[in-house]
């Protein structure tokens, strides 16, 4: 059960330890955002996660938290690797390394306007998505293995991008320790034809303009200025990542008793990080992560070609960051540096200024942290802050209030498209249903979510972006 919920500050609530919880639950939200979170059982999932072996400090929820598979979406949980800490595929999610990439054009909205329709029409044709099969880069199996090992680094090495792109990717564009050999044949098969594709409805490629800058200095360091055109890409590891997650959930369900692990929900299936299933999952997850990074790199190149042909303008990478990932990181716990497995599921890493993992030019301002809102409202660029609660994490989006099913019942895709077009937002959807599922009304108020994230001390606002054209999965 949920137990008590204590308001500690206007943006931080605590669920004290009870039952089999090993740590408390900490929910970053405002009162106004809370009832929605409580309504969909997400907070009970926060309590369940708090029972996992080796969990340290707290089971966290971000202001955009909502119900997910086992773990809530908008959840952060870290386990102590040397104290039997576990890794759980449900704590990463089915779309491994789903994330956001932001490109900044050397072009203003006013200069793009006469070309917008032509650019959108070309993107509509060039960006594989929805139920249409295929990807931008059809690769044979041998090349797929290279992608799983080398991510965006491999893609750039093959000519799909420039070296600077990699400096602006989390982990330099590829995570170490990938085990392509631990990815099942079925997963490989699903991944083969999808390198360079968006996927379904929640994924998108959006043209935006910078509507407001809150921190001129940080924005300048990120390469952003008022009025500028940006392209935001949200997608992940497609069928390959989905299959990896399913494969390892099943494997861990079967292996749990061997390690004496009991969980309150089967969807929390897990294994010690330092066990064979734990190590194998992390290696397969790393391979799927690299696939997602290469995927976003290929989509970037497709957009660059189209922008270049219509406007002659360049697109520079601002940053690429995942919001579904488990990462081995060192954090101080009780005054001692500990090796932790940090699960961020629907949560974005937000490194503060001076963090050693930042490239030198970003170090003075912190990590660009990319938060999509909705296709009808706004999206945000944030940066990390010290001390950085929840292991340097913040929200990942507005967060759903309606299930996809409920959204389709209440919203007409056609009506939504004409409403968006009336607001000068060009729409190129893959299906009416996909469009309705992602209606702005299906999500929380992104501005409230960002205010709560900032109020809770998780991040700081740098810029607000508004949509001018959306290519929907
Ligand atoms: P998720 O990874 O959980 O599927 O989605 C992340 C976030 O993307 C959602 O919480 C939502 O706020 C946002 N989002 C979904 N569709 C769109 C879109 O078309 N445009 C923008 N800017 N954001 C979107
Ligand atoms: Mn996502
Ligand atoms: Mn995704």
């Amino acid at each position: 059960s949920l137990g008590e919920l204590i308001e500690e500050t206007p943006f931080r609530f605590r669920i004290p330890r009870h039952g089999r919880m090993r740590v408390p639950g900490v929910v970053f939200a405002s009162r106004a955002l809370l009832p929605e979170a409580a309504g969909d059982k997400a907070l009970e999932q926060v309590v369940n996660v708090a029972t996992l072996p080796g969990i340290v400090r707290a089971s966290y929820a971000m202001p955009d938290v909502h119900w997910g598979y086992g773990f809530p979406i908008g959840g952060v949980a870290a386990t102590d690797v040397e104290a039997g800490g576990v890794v759980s595929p449900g704590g990463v999610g089915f779309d491994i390394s789903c994330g956001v990439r932001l490109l900044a054009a050397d072009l203003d909205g006013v200069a793009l306007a006469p070309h917008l329709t032509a650019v959108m029409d070309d993107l509509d044709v060039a960006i594989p998505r929805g139920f249409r099969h295929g990807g931008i880069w059809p690769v044979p199996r041998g090349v797929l293995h290279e992608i799983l090992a080398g991510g965006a680094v491999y893609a750039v090495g093959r000519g799909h991008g420039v070296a600077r792109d990699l400096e602006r990717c989390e982990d330099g564009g590829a995570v170490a320790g990938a085990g392509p050999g631990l990815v099942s044949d079925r997963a490989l098969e699903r991944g083969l034809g999808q390198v360079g594709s968006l996927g379904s409805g929640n994924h998108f490629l959006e043209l935006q303009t910078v509507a407001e800058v809150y921190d001129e200095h940080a924005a300048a360091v990120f390469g952003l200025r008022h009025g500028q055109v940006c392209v935001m890409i949200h997608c992940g590891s497609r069928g390959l990542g989905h299959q990896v997650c399913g494969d390892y959930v099943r494997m861990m369900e079967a292996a749990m008793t061997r390690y004496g692990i009991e969980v309150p929900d089967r969807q929390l299936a897990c294994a010690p990080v330092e066990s064979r299933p734990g190590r194998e999952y992390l290696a397969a997850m790393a391979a799927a992560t690299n696939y997602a990074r290469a995927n976003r790199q290929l989509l970037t190149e497709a957009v660059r070609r189209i922008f270049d042909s219509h406007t002659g303008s360049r697109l520079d990478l601002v940053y690429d960051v995942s919001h579904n990932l488990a990462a081995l990181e060192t954090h101080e716990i009780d005054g001692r540096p500990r090796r932790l497995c940090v699960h961020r599921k629907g949560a974005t890493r937000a490194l503060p200024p001076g963090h050693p993992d930042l490239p030198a030019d970003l170090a003075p301002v912190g990590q660009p942290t990319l938060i999509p809102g909705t296709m009808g409202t706004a999206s945000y660029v944030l940066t990390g802050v010290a001390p950085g609660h929840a292991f340097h994490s913040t929200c990942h989006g507005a967060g759903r209030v309606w299930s996809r099913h409920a959204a389709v019942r209440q919203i007409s895709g056609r009506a939504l498209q004409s409403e968006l077009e009336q607001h000068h937002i060009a729409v190129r959807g893959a299906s009416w249903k996909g469009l309705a599922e992602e209606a702005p009304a299906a999500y929380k108020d992104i501005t409230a979510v960002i205010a709560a994230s900032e109020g809770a001390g998780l991040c700081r606002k740098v810029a607000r972006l508004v949509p001018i054209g959306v290519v929907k999965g």
Side-chain angles (χ1 to χ4, degrees), residues 199-210:
S200 54
N202 53 327
H203 304 109
F204 62 86
L205 191 155
E206 196 169 278
L207 274 52
Q208 306 169 334
T209 56
V210 179

Side-chain angles (χ1 to χ4, degrees), residues 8 33 48 57 71 87 89 96 105 123 126 140 181 235 245 250 255 290 317 335 347 368 397 404 437 450:
E8 291 188 323
L33 290 168
N48 292 344
R57 228 180 254 163
F71 284 60
V87 61
I96 295 170
L123 288 170
C235 66
C245 181
R250 272 190 300 280
N290 287 335
L317 182 53
R404 297 212 160 86
E437 284 175 349
I450 297 296

